[in-house]
Amino acid sequence: MLETQVARLAQALEEHRRETRLLYSALALPERSAWDGQPPLLNGQPGQNVFPFSTVCRQDSFETPAFSYWCRRLDEGLRYHRKLWEFVFICQALWERGAIRPGARGLGFGVGSEPLSAYFASEGCRITATDMAVERAEEMGWILTNEHAQGKAALRKPAVCPDDLFDANVEFRTCDMNHVPDDLTGYDFCWSACAFEHLGSIEKGLAFVERSIECLKPGGWAVHTSEYNYGSNTETIDHQDTVLFRRRDLEDLVARLQAKGHRAAPFDFSMGNGLVEQYIDVMPYRDQPHLRMSLWGHPTTSVGVIIQRGEA
């Protein structure tokens, strides 16, 4: 008992040390003119080869015409926020690979209240949107924070997709991402936005990504985003409700996928050095700027992975 208490105290002190160090960094909030009302909304269309790599959230992505286009299309205000980057990354990565087209079947995991199901439906895709059962969502607090879809109605976004088209193209069902049902198969693409870090461990998260590829047709595309601990390739958070993936975990994922004959876009782990991304947000988190944050004393941002199922 004493050893357990000492271990917990040591862990708490280490987390406090990391939080304190990052707090000092957080005091370096850039001048308001660098982020308030920024970046400017530009005219543009989806680009080609915007995301050739699996990559991390960087400030320069927000300052492109393609990013402005996706904010308009998703009915999201343009701002420096990593969750917005995740939505744009998923849409752009699938769009430039030809996955978004009339009649294509898409499968979303842990969809919450995000606008992606509505967007894909508006383009004529037939969408199966999934989220965890209500009871489990209540246990994890997702309902209180409006980050859980209790049904199809939660995904309705009239500004993104007309109701008649949405009703025709979207179905909703519950799904435990640790136990994906066998009948979810034959899809042209699948996605998840910051969901697979909540499955209980790093291994469970990686196993889910592998399992999601089995839901696709040969040649189909999967695009997933998650939390990335860019501060350490050794220390991290594991076996918790939220885990933090390190570079080595993501490189392990690529190796596992390649061993099964799948193709993962190579990772670009380079971190930007823009004024906004030098700021590390701490709780309570800001609406913006929020590109990098502290989670249990670890500097964290978003990462996106792009995978194509092998032809076998």
Side-chain angles (χ1 to χ4, degrees), residues 7 10-11 14-15 25 27-28 34 55 61 67 71 88 93 105 135 151 153 162 167 204 208 215 221 224 227 280:
Q11 180 180 359
E14 174 60 19
E15 289 179 0
S25 298
L27 295 176
T55 193
S61 293
F67 204 99
C71 288
V88 171
R105 297 181 66 217
E135 296 78 14
D167 288 333
K204 287 181 178 179
F208 159 74
C215 298
W221 292 95
H224 299 290
E227 308 283 8
I280 299 177

Side-chain angles (χ1 to χ4, degrees), residues 44-66:
Q45 296 293 325
Q48 291 291 349
N49 210 35
V50 173
F51 290 119
F53 304 110
S54 301
T55 193
V56 299
C57 174
R58 286 192 293 270
Q59 179 179 337
D60 58 7
S61 293
F62 293 77
E63 298 161 356
T64 65

